[in-house]
Structure formats: C-alpha cells, structure tokens
Amino acid sequence: MRITESLERVSLKAERPVRSAVRSQRFNPLPHAGTISVVLLAVVIVTGLYLTLFYQFGFEASYRAVSRMEDHPIQRVARSIHRFASAGMVLTTVVHAWRIFVASRFSGPRSARWLTGLAALILVWLAGVTGYWLIWDARAQALTEAFNRIATATGAGSAFVVRSIVGPHAGGGSGVMLAIWFAHVGLTVAIGYFTWRHVRRSRLPWLPPRHWSAAMIVALVIAGIALPVGMLDPADFSVAAVDVPLDPFVMFLLPPLLSVSPWWVLAVLVAVLGAAALVPRLFGHDTPVVVIDDAACTGCDLCVIDCPYQALSLVEAEGSRRGSIAVVDAAACVGCGICVGSCSFGAMELPGFQAPETIDPEGHAVVIACQRHVHQSGIDVNETPVVLGALAATGDQPKIVEVPCTGMVHPQAVGALMNHGATGVHIVGCAPGDCAYGIGNVLVDERLQSERAPHVPAKFAGVAKEDFVSPLDLRAAIEHPGAHPSADANDLPSARRGAVAAAVLVGLSVFLVALSTWAPFRSGADEAAVRVVVDHQPGFRLVGQPDPTGVLGADVEIEVLVDGNSVERRTVSMAGDAAVGLIDVSAEPGAHQVSVVLHEGSTTPTVLFEGEATLDAGKRLVIEAVDEPPPPGVDDGRDVFDDNTRGGCGICHSTTPGDDGIGPSLAGIGTQAGDRIAGLDANEYLRQSILDPDAYIVEGYRAGQMLPFYNERLSTDDLDALVLYLESLTGDTGEGE
C-alpha cells in the first residue's frame, strides 16, 4: 500500500498544473481517461467501418486502395481521425490503468477488472499494429522485418514470411491481407468484449460527461483536417533501411526488435506483462466485507440499488411474514461501505471503520473524509482534535473521521452529530469522476441534497458542507469549506476561463498525439545487406540449377562470403521436409566480391551466387535458393477459377450444362475450344478468350461483357493452371471424363 500511495502522491502532484489551469476539478479530463477511451473506441469503429467500404485485398491492391482514400477529401479525413483516435485510445487506456494502479483499485473482487482491462490494453495495441500492416507501405514493411526477426529467432513463422510475403512465389498477397484484416476486425471485437467484461456487474458509467465526448470528437475532426496522415512509399523488400514515421503508442517495440536480439525484447515484454498481470497479488490487500444484521434488515432495497458492484441482492427471508432481506456476495464486495450510507435501520456495518455518528463531536466541527484524502494529506486522525495551522486563530480545530468512501455517510449522521454538540459537519470526498469506488461521491451528494433516498432530516438540510477535491487538497478543503461542492461532472461551473483552458487542453492533447505519430525512426540507412531467401528441400532442383542438389533429409546451411571472408554460416529452420527462411547479412557499402554457398550434406556445395556486386547503402542484394515449382495442375486451375481475387470466373460462367448466365456455360469447353477458331488449338483459344475476350464472341452474347484485365490480374502460373482446368472440362457434366 505504501508504494502505491507514494506513486499516487507523485501522480497527483504531476497533475496539479492541469487542475490549476482548468480551475475546477470538473474541468479536469484525467479522471475520465477510461471512459474517454470508450468514446475513442466508438470513433475507431465508425471510421473503420467507413474506410472498409473502399478497401481492397492484396499487397499492391491494398496500397492502391489506401492511396485512393488519401486522394478523396472525406476518406482522407476519416483515415486521419481513425489513426489519431487509435493512438489516443492507447494513451487514454494507459493513463486510466496507471490511475487505477496508484489508487489501489485492483484488490479483492476488482482483480478481475484489472485483468480484463489489461487484456483490453494489449488488444488495443495489437489492433493498432495490424491496422498499420493493412496499408502495406514502408511502415508495414518494417513491421514485417520485425516479425521475421521474431520468426527466425523462435523458428516459428519463417515459412509463412517466405512463402506468403517475400518469396518469389508469394503471389499477390490477397490472402495475407484478408487474414490481417480479419485479425484487425477480430481484435476490435475482442476489445469491445473485454471492455464489457471490465465494467459488467457494476453501475459505473461507460461514457464520460457529454462535454468531454464532444470536445474529443471536435478535436479529432480538426486534427484530421489539419494533419492528414498521407502516404509512405509502398513496401519494398529490396530496401534494407528503415526510415519511417514511428507511432510511439503502437510501434514502440519496432526499434528494439530491429536492433537487438528478439529474445531480449520478448523476454522483457513477457516480464512486463507478467508483472502487470500479477499486480493484484503483488500489491493487493484484503478488503473488508460488509456485515448485515438480518434481524434489523427491512428489505427496503436501497442498499441493493446503491451498491456500485452489485454485491447485494434481496432474498426471501425465512418465515413468510419477514418478506425479503439483503444478502451480500462476499466475492463481489469491495468494502466501500456505500451500502451502510443507504441503510436507515442500522442493519449494516463495515468492519474496521467507525460510523461517523458514533464519535463524540462536542464543541468541534466534524470532517468526514475518504481514506485516500486522509492518507495523502498525512493527517493523523487519531489526534483529537486535529490541529490545522490555518484554523488556529479560530480555535475551532476539527475532528476528522476516516471512511473508505464518503458514500458510507448516512444523511442521518448529520443530524446525529449536530444533536451531540458538533459545531458543523463537513464531507470531503473525491473529485467528480475520480471516486475510488466509481460513484460514492455522487451518491452522498445526491443524498445530502435530498435528491436520493435516504434524505437528510428537514431540520438539518443544508447544514453539511461538501467539497469534492483532489486527495492532495484535504487540508485546503477543511480551511475553505464549501469551495468545491459539486460531485456531478456534468454540472459545470460558469467560469469561462476554466472552460476555455479545458478545451485547449483537450485539443492540445489530440494534436500532440497526432504529431507524435510522425516521430522519426531511421535504422540501417548507412549499411548495405545481402539477403538469401531459402525454400528448398534437399534432393530437389533449385531454380537456376541444372540438376537436383543435396542429400534428402540433410540439414541446409547457407554461407555468405564477402571478399573471401565467411561472414555468416547458418542452418536454416525446417518447415516439414523443406528448409525455409531468410538469412540477412549486413555489409559495408561499396563494391565487393560476394559468394553465397549452399551446404546440404553433399560433398560438393552449391554456389548460388558468385561475383562482384556493388552493395548500396540501405539496399539489399537478394539471392534466392528456391526450388523449381511443379507445373500447375487442374486443381490449381479450379482454385483460380473460384477465387474472386484472381479468376472469379464463376461469377459469370457455370460449369453445368445449359446453365447459361451472363456468359455461356463452360461445360464441355475442353472439347469445343479446338473447333472455335480455325488455326487455334484448344489451349491457344482458351488463352485468347481469357486475355482478349472480344476476339471471338459466342453466338447470342455481345462484346464488352468480359473485361480484358486478366493479363494483369493473373500470374503466368495462374493462367497456365486456369487453362489446364478449362481443358479438363470435356464431358457433358462440365467435368473431365
């Protein structure tokens, strides 16, 4: 407890300039960081759904789609808002988590809330990472390089990087980008789920006061217009240098991942997350559980209504004439005592805390303060009375009663204290939005104002002074009672200067977050590199080699020599029967004699590259050790036919006889194709029909229905495979016989 109290004191002192600038705690946005993050999540979802309408899947297609968004004024602003809100959500979630930690709001039943909040924070970060990946620009390339370093170090994922992203047979990347998009959307859904888990079984607010929501959205729109995020160059894996704007809220792991061993980075990350998950065990403390006197309980249900964490419920008492009584769920009770303040029949008590009305107040003012305020002020409540220098001249030194939360104060305590000789009653609680138990300050304020049952006796209405301030300001509140009487964060003071300062603070925060996403990061710009792309099974033939190489089952080693010196010799990780991975070697820029040699169990190594090469700073010499792929087959062609990102032929053509649609049925086309145009065999006719569809028009159809874009959309292998599949459609059923 001492550690967290000390940290909270430091944090509260650091926040003092903000409180001074806005002049009223009700203008302070920091206590609302958690609920502001929910507003930012909503902004992220809305803008993300809008941008998805214009997104396409594929390495080049995704980059072009985002580039077109940047050319459209509304989409450009929406994209900027989406990015700034995402970064802001990370920041506000971290601020909220820190304030929860230093206020020790993670003990006992609230440990689950801490863990769900931590999970949401991790997911927010991962969603930001996948969002940057979706653009497939230089920043996405840097993320891929970092991921590859992790994959190489752990031996998991290298095959995916080579075969799906950087290898010669990676393809257009539609599947990769679709998977990243689904991950991005899935993470966002998971954030919403854990946010719900974080606040479920509570009556705490989900959203901040309206003015903070409005101020945040307006600031985001202005920042989105004034600071468009723009476009970086597309990803180019022949470039070794990383020179990109670095969003520190999302991409903070990128510099260490690209500069030191990934194992160290992963070890530190796991240690930090593990320590964060263990916070309730390491710093937690036992929380008292309210005790209910069944004989005194009348079943009025006020305590059930007021309990912030739904730890109370009414059950039918034994004996038909008793009706219902309140019972407590000890696993949900956080020991706030708010229910004690709602019970007018003395049926509840909180062990370890004295009910304020039980003290002897004769001749003194009574100050009832929440535990946070007492601890942070350094006041010893055992002094009777407490001596405060500023009140020495009046001789009216108060008696201070410590309660876990001012929500524990029952309105009848005011009358009881005054009847027993108190010169005044003063309630000092947490500032609006900053109650350690969420709503205790609001509840006591509403009770004392007779806006909520139970009420203050009419004789003593308005007697109690109220102040809801920072825990550091207990002494000031006692010396100047009633200066900050409202606990309602929506009840704004009329001070124009404070409102302007608060608006400026929010706007400045958003703009600083936006500007920070352009933090420069530069790595490897002064070095050249050699990259060897490996996807090879020993005993098979490599592209560019006349014969199969190596011995089946042997380990595969890559050796890189520069100017005759062996600078790297590494065994490549296995993926099934094949060695798959990337070998990156740094070198000084300039002309060098470079050799790349493959060792795989045979007496004679295979020379992949040998000769003089000029290595440019920030560039890579890429050497491939990739097996010759098998020729495309009918099954590959069927995949192209069905894949809407490549062939998509089934949209207009069926393979069922007589099922003509926009285009004619292709049933039997393998037999018919050779007879369509004199001088063209089936293979030639089918290729022409795909690449130049208007060269021959089937009777009953018109020109222009099939767009001539497949020469760009299909790779050579895709085209060969599609033709093979169409040639196999020889029978009346549409399939080969």
Side-chain angles (χ1 to χ4, degrees), residues 626-685:
V626 179
D627 288 342
E628 188 76 43
V634 171
D635 289 342
D636 298 316
R638 185 183 289 107
D639 290 340
V640 175
F641 186 94
D642 294 332
D643 186 350
N644 291 340
T645 64
R646 293 185 290 169
C649 311
I651 296 174
C652 299
H653 301 277
S654 79
T655 56
T656 303
D659 185 14
D660 296 331
I662 298 174
S665 168
L666 297 178
I669 189 63
T671 302
Q672 304 161 11
D675 300 328
R676 288 279 171 88
I677 299 178
L680 296 183
D681 61 21
N683 187 287
E684 292 168 334
Y685 168 76

Side-chain angles (χ1 to χ4, degrees), residues 229-366:
V229 294
M231 291 291 293
L232 303 180
D233 292 334
D236 179 1
F237 290 93
S238 67
V239 177
V242 175
D243 188 2
V244 297
L246 184 71
D247 180 348
F249 301 107
V250 174
M251 301 178 70
F252 56 89
L253 284 182
L254 192 59
L257 280 173
L258 293 177
S259 57
V260 300
S261 169
W263 283 114
W264 283 107
V265 180
L266 293 176
V268 171
L269 182 62
V270 169
V272 170
L273 294 179
L278 291 174
V279 158
R281 288 184 175 272
L282 297 174
F283 300 96
H285 56 88
D286 293 334
T287 56
V289 177
V290 68
V291 177
I292 300 176
D293 181 356
D294 293 349
C297 179
T298 64
C300 68
D301 89 350
L302 290 181
C303 60
V304 177
I305 294 172
D306 283 356
C307 180
Y309 296 97
Q310 300 180 7
L312 293 165
S313 59
L314 291 182
V315 299
E316 189 156 342
E318 295 182 5
S320 58
R321 289 181 296 178
R322 280 295 313 277
S324 298
I325 60 172
V327 297
V328 60
D329 179 0
C333 180
V334 300
C336 61
I338 290 175
C339 55
V340 177
S342 64
C343 181
S344 299
F345 304 97
M348 292 179 163
E349 64 174 324
L350 188 66
F353 290 92
Q354 182 181 20
E357 60 270 26
T358 62
I359 71 168
D360 178 12
E362 181 69 36
H364 298 282
V366 177

